[in-house]
Amino acid sequence: MSMTIGRRTFIGGAAAFGLTGTAAAQSAPKVFAPAPPWPPRETLMLWPTLPPGTPPGIAPSKQPVPLPLGTPQRWEKGIRHPYLGVFRPQRPDGRAVLVMPGGGYVFVSLINEGVNVARVLNPLGITVFVLAYRLPGEGWFNRTDVPLQDAQRAMRLIRANAAHYRIDPAKLGILGFSAGGHLGGTLTVGHADPVYKARDTADSLSARPAFSGLIYPVTQFASAGPNSRSGPNLFGGPPPAGAASARFDVLTRASAAMPPLFLAHAMDDGTVSVGQSIALVEAARRHKVPVEAHLLERGGHGFGALSLPPTNPGHKWLEWFATWTATHVK
């Protein structure tokens, strides 16, 4: 039995809840500029010396390792010195987005969920920073804190250099995919968690996003299901009970202090259940946090910025995100 859900908008409380399906109108595909290389010409290293949690014996000069299967998509692991790829628009309007690609906490998908985001958002005036973050299972002390350390530091460093990048620090938000969506959710609720000691004056700045876009995110390990490996990969085994795991439970930590949320998820996602996003929508509504969600009838997992065909009504989701951000920054 199959069911077709046409596009609707449900408005209640602080939420606009959009369900997108085959009944939506089609439009001609937009042609984007060719994908720039990775790493881009402009990069920014996160840490002035070795990153926090660096154990003895890690070679300072070690370079990231592209995975053979992901070479066209630039799937990387072995990131010893996390950094930002900077993509500037020709006409910046002050908005900026820190992008956290997915990869199940075992690699970072830098093209599909990074570079291609910039290809869409740069023409709309948005400056894009793609985060090549460290992965927890690569020998770091306090492995679970490593991705969040990099995400917090990236937000603070971007704000410290806002004038250089011609952005408004009050208009800096995030966009996270899959495990990067979990990282983005953790940053959303844990932007002030004390996960590293301050290195310089940038660390006195806030890491709170002005808005949070979470795309097919993991929001709670306990309900993520067996196909999602983000939890075991973050912890190095089954997520433990108690406070050690609760810190990374986005649903449990949801509160009225969260910034506005934007979610996109396919209902046929076989890796991260759409219920992960629906539960976060419900939590946001309970706390009266503005939230917009687009649930696609089809799309699977990992559709990224430009992978959905024009025949899928949700192929413009990233342009919707750009329009939505403009309504939540002043």
Side-chain angles (χ1 to χ4, degrees), residues 155-167:
M155 292 293 286
R156 292 167 176 147
L157 208 55
I158 294 168
R159 285 195 164 115
N161 292 279
H164 173 70
Y165 293 118
R166 299 174 63 193
I167 66 170

Side-chain angles (χ1 to χ4, degrees), residues 88-89 91-98 125-129 154-174 205-206 208-211 325-326 328-330:
R88 300 192 192 220
R91 299 178 182 86
D93 65 8
R95 288 178 294 168
V97 173
L98 172 66
I126 301 175
T127 304
V128 174
F129 300 86
M155 292 293 286
R156 292 167 176 147
L157 208 55
I158 294 168
R159 285 195 164 115
N161 292 279
H164 173 70
Y165 293 118
R166 299 174 63 193
I167 66 170
D168 183 340
K171 297 181 180 181
L172 172 62
I174 65 169
L205 300 176
S206 173
R208 183 183 186 272
F211 52 84
T325 65
H328 289 287
V329 292
K330 303 300 181 184

Side-chain angles (χ1 to χ4, degrees), residues 222-245:
S223 59
N227 291 332
S228 173
R229 301 298 300 163
S230 296
N233 290 335
L234 181 66
F235 288 98
S245 182

Side-chain angles (χ1 to χ4, degrees), residues 1-245:
M1 179 178 179
S2 62
M3 178 175 63
T4 300
I5 300 181
R7 186 178 181 188
R8 298 177 179 175
T9 301
F10 297 89
I11 301 178
F17 197 105
L19 300 183
T20 306
T22 57
Q26 304 297 315
S27 59
K30 181 176 289 188
V31 177
F32 295 99
W38 185 271
R41 287 190 299 270
E42 187 174 7
T43 60
L44 178 64
M45 304 304 293
L46 293 190
W47 304 98
T49 55
L50 292 178
T54 300
I58 285 189
S61 61
K62 186 168 182 179
Q63 298 298 310
V65 180
L67 298 179
L69 278 178
T71 298
Q73 288 293 346
R74 195 67 187 191
W75 293 353
E76 282 190 358
K77 64 177 182 177
I79 298 169
R80 300 303 186 191
H81 298 275
Y83 60 101
L84 292 166
V86 184
F87 298 88
R88 300 192 192 220
Q90 289 186 349
R91 299 178 182 86
D93 65 8
R95 288 178 294 168
V97 173
L98 172 66
V99 178
M100 287 160 280
Y105 285 130
V106 291
F107 63 87
V108 184
S109 180
L110 292 165
I111 302 298
N112 182 45
E113 296 168 347
V115 172
N116 285 346
V117 174
R119 293 172 69 193
V120 179
L121 296 186
N122 277 173
L124 303 176
I126 301 175
T127 304
V128 174
F129 300 86
V130 178
L131 179 60
Y133 56 91
R134 291 172 295 150
L135 299 165
E138 296 188 332
W140 308 101
F141 294 133
N142 300 323
R143 59 179 288 159
T144 55
D145 286 337
V146 162
L148 184 58
Q149 289 169 349
D150 291 348
Q152 285 186 359
R153 174 68 177 177
M155 292 293 286
R156 292 167 176 147
L157 208 55
I158 294 168
R159 285 195 164 115
N161 292 279
H164 173 70
Y165 293 118
R166 299 174 63 193
I167 66 170
D168 183 340
K171 297 181 180 181
L172 172 62
I174 65 169
L175 189 62
F177 297 82
S178 192
H182 176 262
L183 176 56
T186 304
L187 180 67
T188 296
V189 299
H191 54 85
D193 288 1
V195 292
Y196 69 90
K197 294 180 179 180
R199 295 291 186 93
D200 50 35
T201 57
D203 287 324
S204 65
L205 300 176
S206 173
R208 183 183 186 272
F211 52 84
S212 293
L214 306 177
I215 313 305
Y216 38 86
V218 175
T219 59
Q220 184 179 67
F221 294 137
S223 59
N227 291 332
S228 173
R229 301 298 300 163
S230 296
N233 290 335
L234 181 66
F235 288 98
S245 182

